Amino acid sequence: MDFVEKSVVVSMGIATGFHCRLCGGLLNDCGLSFKQVPVCNRFTAPKEPVECHNLRLDQCARCQLIQLREPLPVDAVMPRLPWIKYREPEGHLDSVVDRLLSGHCSKAVSSFGVGPFDQPLLNRLERRGLNSLALETRPPPSGQGKGFPYLETWQLGLNAANLAEIADVHGKADIVSCRYLLEHCHDPLGGLRGLRQLISADGVLIVEVPDSTKFLAARDYSFIWEEHVSYFVESTLRSLAAKAGYAVVDVHRYPGELEDALVAVLRPSASEGEADVTQAFVSQSDLFRLYVSSLQSTRQSVQSLVAAAAGPSGDGVALFGIGHQAVMFVNAFDLSEYVAAAVDDDPNKCGYFPPGFRVRVIPSQAFLQDNRVRTCLFAVAPGMEHKIRDKLAPLAKRGVQFRSIFGGVPGSIISGSSSWH
Ligand SMILES: [Zn+2]
């Protein structure tokens, strides 16, 4: 087989000196790395060289948690622009609330949110008669004023000392919500342990994270992101919760097209537990191994497809939807020379150079005037594609092809097939 696969095999088992943030085991050297990619949120107004870093993704051989070997420093990840914000799914929250209030939380009267994505759940609980409070768990700004603190800073507040102070002021609640923050934590175990202090005697902690299984199976590398430190699947979320001293009451899975949402209902155990994390999850380990060993061939295949689509003049490819996945896709696969148009209708992004790109973001109205492009790559949620296709109908009319960058979408550019849709 190819050189990469061999090099992975020969390096197996070499200790790295880095420890797993779930079980503390030594990480070995079987993961994958991206060399010198920029921070995905580092859009710049004039084109300027952006700071780059290596990213290394490993799976702990003992507990199976997939994780960045070394998260970047908080200051390096902190957005430099005020409008960098992310969206998380909400459509399933009515069902989450129904399940909680008809089941384990039928007597709950109070709720807390600890991060930026809890308000939609708190709103629904309020409508059902609970009190709710969005806690300010973020540490105060360091005062250096060099950025706009967001998730990279928020996760720092999930530590025992800070949460103890908050509990002193606000007490405890029957439902504590922590949505889409745990995967950003440099110390997810400490964060979960600390959150016990906010939960009432019969209360629960609701943790919601994206499940990495689908993008791993689809060999989609655009989901790797310096802001996501842990890449959970159901078994590793359960292991982490148990290790942090919780009984896992329930894990609900809400299917998403590219990632499912995992909603865990956790109840603090009498004492902090030491879960048995030595249990082998063989299928997960195979999934990651395949993901790692497919990187090189996927990169080559995507590069040649995109280069061919760019054509001899090199300006035949556009990318629509410039979020962190689009940015990682371009930089991890070294595609910036082929992207002649970066299109996004978020007015905040217009005019900025996405990190590593050679072109500025333009809105779709301007894109419609671009007669060079023959292929438009979609980096938008699959459920949104039909709206974008409607918007870009004049392009389809003159023969422009549309193709998703996401491996989970049929006909995707990374599915390795050269058939066009
Ligand atoms: Zn581990």
Side-chain angles (χ1 to χ4, degrees):
M1 280 296 288
D2 61 39
F3 169 75
V4 169
E5 198 159 301
K6 276 187 207 141
S7 74
V8 166
V9 171
V10 294
S11 65
M12 271 177 76
I14 295 174
T16 58
F18 293 96
H19 291 267
C20 170
R21 47 184 55 77
L22 195 172
C23 76
L26 262 183
L27 296 175
N28 59 30
D29 211 2
C30 305
L32 61 78
S33 59
F34 291 153
K35 300 271 184 246
Q36 294 301 296
V37 288
V39 170
C40 291
N41 68 34
R42 203 55 48 80
F43 287 70
T44 57
K47 185 159 173 48
E48 50 189 67
V50 285
E51 192 187 321
C52 288
H53 54 270
N54 296 335
L55 272 189
R56 173 89 201 175
L57 190 69
D58 289 309
Q59 181 175 43
C60 174
R62 188 157 74 170
C63 76
Q64 308 294 312
L65 179 65
I66 298 167
Q67 56 200 293
L68 292 187
R69 183 188 287 185
E70 272 182 294
L72 296 185
V74 167
D75 279 349
V77 175
M78 186 184 296
R80 302 296 194 263
L81 294 161
W83 47 262
I84 298 285
K85 293 283 180 283
Y86 308 118
R87 282 185 301 272
E88 297 296 355
E90 297 178 15
H92 57 290
L93 291 179
D94 287 330
S95 159
V96 169
V97 167
D98 281 343
R99 280 170 145 164
L100 289 173
L101 298 187
S102 65
H104 305 290
C105 303
S106 59
K107 298 195 174 105
V109 298
S110 58
S111 58
F112 285 161
V114 300
F117 301 115
D118 299 304
Q119 197 61 51
L121 182 65
L122 298 185
N123 291 343
R124 286 167 172 81
L125 291 171
E126 263 184 21
R127 288 202 288 274
R128 302 284 290 266
L130 279 77
N131 295 319
S132 81
L133 180 62
L135 299 172
E136 182 51 85
T137 55
R138 260 179 305 188
S142 63
Q144 293 177 5
K146 106 185 209 195
F148 296 86
Y150 193 37
L151 302 173
E152 77 298 326
T153 305
W154 220 303
Q155 60 85 23
L156 282 177
L158 296 192
N159 69 74
N162 185 43
L163 296 168
E165 276 180 33
I166 290 169
D168 280 347
V169 176
H170 296 288
K172 297 168 189 274
D174 302 324
I175 298 176
V176 176
S177 171
C178 180
R179 302 185 65 234
Y180 296 98
L181 193 54
L182 195 64
E183 66 274 25
H184 294 260
C185 283
H186 293 203
D187 178 14
L189 187 58
L192 278 190
R193 282 179 173 152
L195 286 168
R196 289 166 56 104
Q197 305 169 94
L198 297 175
I199 306 168
S200 69
D202 294 318
V204 296
L205 174 65
I206 310 299
V207 170
E208 183 166 340
V209 296
D211 179 349
S212 302
T213 306
K214 282 184 174 170
F215 82 75
L216 291 169
R219 296 169 205 182
D220 191 330
Y221 303 90
S222 58
F223 277 77
I224 300 175
W225 186 25
E226 62 279 347
E227 300 203 31
H228 273 179
V229 176
S230 298
Y231 296 77
F232 292 106
V233 297
E234 184 173 339
S235 56
T236 49
L237 179 61
R238 284 176 177 274
S239 298
L240 181 73
K243 177 106 175 158
Y246 292 88
V248 180
V249 176
D250 248 328
V251 177
H252 303 300
R253 173 182 298 275
Y254 292 92
E257 288 157 306
L258 303 174
E259 292 174 307
D260 293 349
L262 293 174
V263 181
V265 182
L266 309 177
R267 207 182 279 291
S269 311
S271 62
E272 286 192 7
E274 287 298 319
D276 176 16
V277 293
T278 56
Q279 192 184 345
F281 296 100
V282 174
S283 62
Q284 288 303 339
S285 144
D286 286 348
L287 195 59
F288 188 70
R289 214 176 1 254
L290 270 171
Y291 187 68
V292 172
S293 65
S294 303
L295 172 63
Q296 199 62 14
S297 58
T298 304
R299 191 202 309 258
Q300 280 163 3
S301 144
V302 168
Q303 273 178 349
S304 63
L305 285 169
V306 174
S313 54
D315 55 7
V317 172
L319 184 59
F320 195 109
I322 312 299
H324 66 84
Q325 288 146 335
V327 173
M328 187 56 80
F329 174 76
V330 164
N331 289 307
F333 288 160
D334 208 4
L335 302 172
S336 71
E337 65 178 298
Y338 304 119
V339 176
V343 192
D344 199 297
D345 282 328
D346 177 348
N348 286 313
K349 290 179 188 165
C350 278
Y352 280 92
F353 287 92
F357 284 47
R358 65 180 171 91
V359 292
R360 296 172 196 273
V361 176
I362 56 168
S364 51
Q365 276 311 314
F367 179 44
L368 287 172
Q369 314 304 317
D370 189 329
N371 291 315
R372 305 166 302 162
V373 167
R374 314 304 306 161
T375 298
C376 178
L377 298 175
F378 279 146
V380 298
M384 294 290 297
E385 274 198 19
H386 67 283
K387 277 190 184 171
I388 313 293
R389 281 174 191 266
D390 287 350
K391 223 185 243 189
L392 302 181
L395 296 182
K397 225 175 243 172
R398 66 167 179 79
V400 171
Q401 307 267 358
F402 300 110
R403 210 165 179 188
S404 179
I405 70 160
F406 294 125
V409 177
S412 154
I413 191 95
I414 71 165
S415 61
S417 142
S418 58
S419 67
W420 294 79
H421 292 251

